[in-house]
Amino acid sequence: MFDTSSIPDDDVVSAVTATLEGNGSKEDPASNAPDLNIYVATPDSETAIVAGDYDNIATTAQATAVAYADLPALDGGEATLTFNATGRAGIDKVANTVLGWRGANYDVAAVAPTWGSLQETLWTAYFVDATGTTKDPVLVITHGVPIV
């Protein structure tokens, strides 16, 4: 969730990137290679996490997916996603822009990955609950007055 209310209503959003910092956990023993993308989220609350929030992430991609091979394996490595036209248009200039990260090729597509006994595929990143703010997700928005 990002407070984007300071963007003037008349401004045009021309570019958006979102960056997550990996925390060093990356495993894929079954070679599933899940990708990562950003989607609009509609949580039940903007101040607390509840079980129903998992189902409240949309399926329309807001950015270009990052391939699993391009996700950093080291603590501090960054994954940056560049928003598409849908994502740029979805920046809320009045309130918070609420986003969630999902895998498009399995989670969003509702396709089961290859199963392996005692195997897990994962990539983990820092979120806002990490100590301090240096590892928080970052949303960079380029905007300005429309050219006429």
Side-chain angles (χ1 to χ4, degrees), residues 12-52:
V12 173
V13 173
S14 58
V16 181
T17 60
T19 302
L20 291 174
E21 184 173 326
N23 70 9
S25 296
K26 182 178 180 182
E27 299 175 25
D28 190 18
S31 298
N32 287 310
D35 56 15
L36 177 70
N37 211 332
I38 299 173
Y39 301 86
V40 171
T42 53
D44 291 335
S45 167
E46 290 190 3
T47 58
I49 297 174
V50 298

Side-chain angles (χ1 to χ4, degrees), residues 1-2 6 9-10 12 26 29 48 57 60 62 68 77 79 82 87 94 100 109 114-115 121 123 125 130 132 142 145:
M1 178 177 331
F2 299 92
S6 64
D9 290 345
D10 293 338
V12 173
K26 182 178 180 182
I57 300 179
T60 301
Q62 303 296 298
Y68 188 79
T82 301
V94 177
T114 302
W115 182 84
T121 297
W123 178 74
T142 303
V145 197

Side-chain angles (χ1 to χ4, degrees), residues 60-112:
T60 301
Q62 303 296 298
T64 301
V66 173
Y68 188 79
D70 295 329
L71 294 172
L74 301 174
D75 187 19
E78 295 180 342
T80 299
L81 295 96
T82 301
F83 279 48
N84 57 29
T86 301
R88 291 188 303 271
I91 298 298
D92 191 333
K93 300 175 193 172
V94 177
N96 292 323
T97 296
V98 185
L99 305 166
W101 282 258
R102 299 175 76 175
N105 55 343
Y106 294 111
D107 188 26
V108 174
V111 173

